[in-house]
Amino acid sequence: MILRELELDCFKNIHRLSLSLRPGINVIYGDNGAGKTNLLDAIYLLSLGKSHFHLADNALIRDEEEFYRVVGHYSSGDDKTYDVVVKHQRQGKKQIELNRKKVNRVKELLGRFPVVFVAPDDISLVFGGGRDRRNLINRTLCQCDSDYLVSLMKYNRLLRQKDAMLKKWPKPDRLEVETYNYQMIPLVETIHLKRSAYIDELGAVIRGIYADISDDDECVSTEYKSQFALRNIAEVFREQLDAEISIQRPLVGIQRDDILLYIEGKLFKKFGSQGQIKSLLYSMRMSEYHFLSKSLGEKPILLLDDYFEKLDGKRLSALLLLIQQAPFGQVILTDTELSRSQKIFERHGIPYAAYAIDKGELLTAKK
Amino acid sequence: MSYSSKLLQEAVAALSMLPGIGKKSALRLSLYLIAERQEDVLREFIAPIAKMISDIKFCQICHNLADGEICSICVERSHKSNTICVVESIRDVMAIEDTDQYQGLYHVLGGVISPLDGIAVEHLNIESLVKRVEGHNIQEVIMAVSPTIEGETTIYYLSKRLQPLGVRVTLLARGISFGGELEYADGLTLGRSIVTRVPYEISEL
């Protein structure tokens, strides 16, 4: 899927902007605070219906304005065109339209315009809590597996109800809590199975990409950390029931899952060097790209925010190699100055388009 | 809007407290009441509403609306039926009664279990249901609760509570609606309808 045109109205610091993009490489450059990342976030919003940075919809509206509106015109390989509109008014509910028809559930949008966002806050994938890593799994699986998405949404709703039940006074009895467990168990089964298969494959993919870009032949591996590993799910729920009631919060569930990342059998978090971590992050992001293109049969749009800042030597060549491999989808990257990217792309003979933006406005577009 | 009369303004404010009635409708209703003959309005309109508010009761058995301590359905059917249909609200009783397909008893829960909205088991008419099933010769309990996450939770909880009593618990059939077209049915409903399909019965001519 190629994003041909992007229109923004009152989105974050951007007042009004319209941009024509090309297949292949697009470089957006400008000073810090010019609105480069916001532009990428708008593209992310069109694909997933929400901001990459977990911002509430009102926070996406430009200061002192009443609404935002983001429009994307896409075209697919077989020359079909799609229009996506996401708009939100301060007092109202966010609305999404696909080809001028209202989309009632984000589910209908997910996976149609796949996107991978590589942002500077990536480091949390290694050092942050389990939530960041679960988000990575969820984002990928939700875009390509609607069964997973439905199970996860239902599970989260039940979890919130169960949490509220555990916090009430007088304390709930066992049956009241079991009522939720009973409904969660089949969902946990589905989600656990899918996560488990995904993480296994993820390990192999990361290992492959990592080997391509790192100097040494270190072995990277992943492990799915879950309370349900090799266990009967219902039994795990049963074991914690009394503890949950006395401590008044849920102790069991897939909300406690995590992925452990190892290098040479040792935890990355503790033993990875700066260079190794950079290579790992790059491999993890590219694995997301790999999965989406494989399961959707479609190249996602790759959004690289401030990326040359972090790439060097082998990683850069590996990325360029990937970009040169046809057929490659669309890449939209940002940089503080054009000259650096210009030099790289021209050296490798890769065509690109460049757009300068400043203070939320488009200055020039050159090819 | 500005009113010349404070009395009118207060009446409009009162009427617009009703669900589905906005300021403009409230004004229209108020002006209509003023235009009618005063004693007619009091007799035909105000009196019945006031009487309903002061006299209406909830049935002590099934929690349906009643004029006395026990509602008319419980009075008429208690000795004839040993089936209880469990519903969320009084409106559900009316909806099922309108079908003319059910001649049994009811039990109004007053909602579904939803701790997020502050509704826990003890806020619903659940204990009285368990006592009813225990104390009377009840053979079957029909769960006529919405198939939402909160509804399913309530059904599961109730079934577990009723299980030791040995009563038969049934669920409303779920599937394709009458007059609906297959292509518009949602995937979940359609999938379930395939799994729980029923034999086709040829009616005798």
Side-chain angles (χ1 to χ4, degrees):
Chain A
M1 201 61 79
I2 305 295
L3 177 60
R4 295 283 175 182
E5 260 163 69
L6 178 69
E7 288 170 39
L8 305 179
D9 262 329
C10 307
F11 184 78
K12 290 174 154 181
N13 76 335
I14 296 165
H15 180 220
R16 191 155 292 153
L17 192 151
S18 136
L19 189 60
S20 302
L21 296 152
R22 49 161 284 155
I25 313 280
N26 296 272
V27 182
I28 293 161
Y29 64 98
D31 291 337
N32 288 323
K36 304 187 296 289
T37 305
N38 293 344
L39 219 129
L40 297 188
D41 200 21
I43 300 172
Y44 185 92
L45 178 83
L46 288 172
S47 292
L48 287 110
K50 60 182 179 186
S51 157
H52 178 263
F53 302 98
H54 307 289
L55 291 169
D57 281 302
N58 277 347
L60 298 177
I61 301 173
R62 191 170 182 257
D63 286 347
E64 288 165 27
E65 300 285 353
E66 278 309 303
F67 75 104
Y68 77 72
R69 181 164 169 272
V70 180
V71 185
H73 303 283
Y74 294 83
S75 69
S76 66
D78 49 2
D79 264 350
K80 285 208 180 80
T81 60
Y82 301 91
D83 292 345
V84 182
V85 181
V86 181
K87 53 189 177 183
H88 174 70
Q89 263 185 325
R90 237 176 241 288
Q91 307 296 332
K93 217 182 143 215
K94 176 170 60 192
Q95 288 192 350
I96 304 174
E97 288 167 18
L98 173 58
N99 288 342
R100 280 164 293 283
K101 280 214 183 89
K102 207 175 143 198
V103 172
N104 290 319
R105 295 180 197 168
V106 183
K107 194 179 124 188
E108 297 162 40
L109 189 69
L110 290 183
R112 303 279 309 254
F113 310 96
V115 63
V116 173
F117 195 130
V118 183
D121 64 352
D122 270 0
I123 198 82
S124 64
L125 275 176
V126 175
F127 294 105
R131 176 193 293 261
D132 294 300
R133 285 176 292 276
R134 282 194 302 277
N135 278 343
L136 175 79
I137 310 177
N138 287 345
R139 198 168 46 236
T140 313
L141 286 176
C142 286
Q143 284 189 75
C144 51
D145 185 343
S146 69
D147 196 21
Y148 181 87
L149 173 73
V150 171
S151 303
L152 187 67
M153 278 167 50
K154 198 167 168 201
Y155 178 86
N156 284 337
R157 173 87 190 161
L158 286 166
L159 182 65
R160 287 198 357 251
Q161 287 283 20
K162 178 177 166 180
D163 188 45
M165 171 70 89
L166 286 166
K167 286 186 170 53
K168 84 181 175 82
W169 191 261
K171 283 187 179 183
D173 60 26
R174 301 181 76 167
L175 177 58
E176 286 176 75
V177 183
E178 272 169 349
T179 301
Y180 289 103
N181 291 351
Y182 164 80
Q183 295 178 83
M184 284 168 146
I185 288 165
L187 301 172
V188 168
E189 205 167 330
T190 308
I191 295 167
H192 182 77
L193 216 67
K194 287 178 191 284
R195 280 187 179 176
S196 176
Y198 173 73
I199 291 167
D200 275 353
E201 208 182 330
L202 183 75
V205 172
I206 290 180
R207 203 153 36 241
I209 302 173
Y210 190 93
D212 282 348
I213 56 170
S214 79
D215 298 318
D216 317 301
D217 43 359
E218 301 127 342
C219 178
V220 180
S221 54
T222 55
E223 185 194 325
Y224 181 20
K225 184 175 162 238
S226 163
Q227 293 169 308
F228 307 106
L230 303 172
R231 294 288 314 273
N232 175 304
I233 293 169
E235 203 176 290
V236 181
F237 271 99
R238 229 171 4 248
E239 277 170 8
Q240 298 290 329
L241 183 61
D242 289 330
E244 286 185 319
I245 292 172
S246 80
I247 215 161
Q248 295 191 291
R249 61 187 171 83
L251 297 172
V252 202
I254 46 135
Q255 73 280 8
R256 297 170 80 92
D257 284 0
D258 201 350
I259 315 177
L260 300 180
L261 301 160
Y262 295 100
I263 179 154
E264 294 291 314
K266 285 187 275 189
L267 268 182
F268 241 108
K269 215 186 252 193
K270 289 186 182 150
F271 296 96
S273 72
Q274 286 298 323
Q276 287 169 335
I277 285 169
K278 272 188 191 175
S279 298
L280 176 74
L281 288 175
Y282 174 82
S283 313
M284 287 178 82
R285 285 306 183 190
M286 287 304 134
S287 72
E288 199 178 338
Y289 187 87
H290 168 92
F291 268 103
L292 287 178
S293 45
K294 194 184 115 191
S295 53
L296 297 169
E298 174 122 48
K299 299 278 178 195
I301 297 172
L302 185 58
L303 306 174
L304 299 173
D305 196 15
D306 235 354
Y307 216 60
F308 289 110
E309 206 64 62
K310 292 206 202 57
L311 285 174
D312 47 33
K314 279 207 155 187
R315 285 177 280 270
L316 188 56
S317 338
L319 177 66
L320 291 173
L321 198 72
L322 192 67
I323 289 171
Q324 278 172 311
Q325 275 169 3
F328 196 81
Q330 195 173 25
V331 182
I332 301 165
L333 57 89
T334 70
D335 205 343
T336 43
E337 46 182 313
L338 181 60
S339 56
R340 178 167 37 181
S341 324
Q342 203 169 19
K343 229 187 280 170
I344 296 164
F345 291 127
E346 276 166 11
R347 192 185 327 135
H348 290 79
I350 300 171
Y352 66 96
Y355 316 85
I357 87 167
D358 186 34
K359 299 190 182 76
E361 281 182 42
L362 185 67
L363 297 181
T364 51
K366 39 178 161 170
K367 298 252 155 153
Chain B
M1 214 172 289
S2 65
Y3 304 101
S4 58
S5 150
K6 197 156 184 274
L7 294 170
L8 175 64
Q9 188 184 342
E10 279 169 8
V12 168
L15 282 169
S16 60
M17 278 160 56
L18 297 171
I21 306 283
K23 275 258 155 64
K24 283 195 172 163
S25 302
L27 177 64
R28 207 172 125 220
L29 295 173
S30 304
L31 293 176
Y32 172 82
L33 293 175
I34 294 167
E36 289 295 293
R37 272 176 39 182
Q38 204 178 7
E39 61 261 39
D40 287 352
V41 171
L42 289 176
R43 192 183 67 240
E44 291 170 15
F45 188 75
I46 306 292
I49 293 177
K51 192 161 168 50
M52 174 190 80
I53 291 166
S54 67
D55 289 0
I56 202 151
K57 293 189 172 65
F58 290 99
C59 171
Q60 293 201 334
I61 299 173
C62 73
H63 311 281
N64 192 6
L65 290 175
D67 291 343
E69 300 297 311
I70 314 283
C71 76
S72 56
I73 295 178
C74 286
V75 168
E76 284 169 27
R77 301 182 190 166
S78 270
H79 56 285
K80 287 193 289 201
S81 174
N82 41 27
T83 302
I84 295 180
C85 179
V86 176
V87 294
E88 289 171 45
S89 72
I90 288 154
R91 283 170 68 151
D92 297 331
V93 174
M94 295 174 187
I96 294 174
E97 281 296 290
D98 275 349
T99 66
D100 271 335
Q101 299 294 316
Y102 179 70
Q103 310 300 331
L105 304 165
Y106 290 92
H107 193 89
V108 181
L109 290 175
V112 283
I113 302 173
S114 178
L116 280 177
D117 302 310
I119 304 172
V121 170
E122 59 266 27
H123 301 113
L124 301 172
N125 298 319
I126 287 178
E127 291 313 316
S128 57
L129 174 67
V130 176
K131 283 213 181 71
R132 260 181 100 181
V133 174
E134 248 171 0
H136 301 83
N137 182 29
I138 299 297
Q139 302 289 319
E140 180 178 352
V141 174
I142 305 171
M143 299 288 174
V145 178
S146 315
T148 55
I149 285 181
E150 289 71 25
E152 299 280 3
T153 301
T154 310
I155 291 170
Y156 179 79
Y157 179 83
L158 285 177
S159 313
K160 273 293 208 185
R161 290 290 306 272
L162 296 173
Q163 201 175 31
L165 305 177
V167 67
R168 179 166 177 248
V169 175
T170 55
L171 197 63
L172 287 194
R174 291 163 187 186
I176 302 301
S177 54
F178 281 101
E181 289 185 41
L182 277 199
E183 60 172 318
Y184 297 120
D186 73 289
L188 202 69
T189 308
L190 194 54
R192 202 183 151 125
S193 304
I194 291 278
V195 174
T196 61
R197 63 193 181 278
V198 292
Y200 185 69
E201 280 166 31
I202 298 168
S203 52
E204 297 299 325
L205 287 173

